[in-house]
Amino acid sequence: MDETGWREGRRRAWLWVAATATVTVFLVHARRGAVAARALLGGFAGIRVTDRWTAYNGWPLRARQLCWAHLRRHFVAFAEAPRTAGWLGGALLAETDHLFAWWHRVRDGTLTRGSFRTYVSPLRRRVETLLWLGSRCRHARTAATCREILLLAPALWTFVRLPGVEPTNNAAERALRPGVLWRKGSFGSHSPAGSRFAERMLTVAATLKQQRRNVVDYVTMACEAALRGDPAPSLLPATVVRRGRRRAA
C-alpha cells in the first residue's frame, strides 16, 4: 500500500493504492489517516506491505511488513550524522545489504527459504541490537526514529516467515506513478464524480495491464454492458471468477 497527494476541486485529498499480484485498486479520499486506509482495504485479511505511516498502525504487526527500502533511506540519513549515529547507520546499511543479497538469491532460486531463515536469525538480532543502541544515542533524530522502528520490529521480518510477501512496497510506488502524472497534468479532479472516474480508470488500467488484458477492449465491453443495463465485466482474473462460481454452486 501507498498514498500520494491529490486535489479535489480546491481541497487537498489523497490518492491511495493497494497493489496485489493480479489486481491493483485506487481510492481518492479526503483523508490520509486510518479511516482512508480502512476504506480502501475493507475486510482484507492478508499481509499489508507498507511504510511506517501511522495510518497503518491499526492492524496487527503479524499481518504487516515494513518496507525495507524506506528503512534503508533512514539508515543512510543515520550514516550521514556525526559520531555514534553515523557508525550505527553504516552498520545498519551493511546488514541491510546482506539481507537483500540473500533475498535476491531466494528469488532467483539459488538459496532455499530454510537456509534464508537460518541466515537471517543472527542478522535479526544484530539489527535489533543496533536499533536499540540507536534509540539511546545522543543524536535526537536518530534516537527517535530507532525507537519508532523498534515498536514495529516484528513487522520487519514477516517476509522471512511467509512466502509470497515482499520486503518493500515498491510495487505500490510504481503503481502510483500514472496517478502522479494524471495529477500533474490535470491538477487532480474537480468534483467527487471526477475523483470516482480517476480512481476507477486507474484501477482498470493498472489491473488489466497486470493480467495482460487489453484495456480498450475491456472499456468497450463495459460501456456496451452499461447501455444494456448489465453489470460490467469482472476485473478479476478468469481463474478467480470460475473458482467463485464453483463455491457459489
Side-chain angles (χ1 to χ4, degrees), residues 114-128:
S115 296
F116 179 54
R117 293 193 190 101
T118 300
Y119 291 172
V120 169
S121 182
L123 181 143
R124 175 176 181 170
R125 290 193 293 272
R126 294 194 300 269
V127 166
E128 293 185 3

Side-chain angles (χ1 to χ4, degrees), residues 40-52:
L40 174 61
L41 285 187
F44 177 70
I47 305 299
R48 302 151 188 86
V49 184
T50 72
D51 56 23
R52 292 190 302 111

Side-chain angles (χ1 to χ4, degrees), residues 15 19 26 59 67 78 97 103 110 134 138 159 162 167 204 243 248-249:
L15 178 65
F26 290 84
W59 286 287
C67 174
F78 296 172
D97 290 344
W103 171 247
T110 60
R138 294 184 179 181
F159 80 106
L162 296 177
V204 166
R243 193 180 306 127

Side-chain angles (χ1 to χ4, degrees), residues 242-249:
R242 288 195 296 269
R243 193 180 306 127
R245 287 172 180 167
R246 286 199 299 269
R247 288 177 179 172

Side-chain angles (χ1 to χ4, degrees), residues 68 72 75-76 89-105 116 123 126-127:
W68 274 88
R72 196 178 195 286
F75 300 158
V76 169
L92 285 165
L93 284 172
E95 298 291 359
T96 302
D97 290 344
H98 286 311
L99 180 65
F100 273 90
W102 296 332
W103 171 247
H104 292 152
R105 290 184 59 196
F116 179 54
L123 181 143
R126 294 194 300 269
V127 166

Side-chain angles (χ1 to χ4, degrees), residues 52 66 75 78 92 128 130-154 156:
R52 292 190 302 111
L66 289 187
F75 300 158
F78 296 172
L92 285 165
E128 293 185 3
L130 289 167
L131 290 170
W132 182 84
L133 293 171
S135 70
R136 284 156 175 75
C137 77
R138 294 184 179 181
H139 191 267
R141 183 171 295 179
T142 297
T145 302
C146 287
R147 285 193 293 270
E148 292 172 7
I149 295 172
L150 281 172
L151 290 174
L152 304 172
L156 294 174

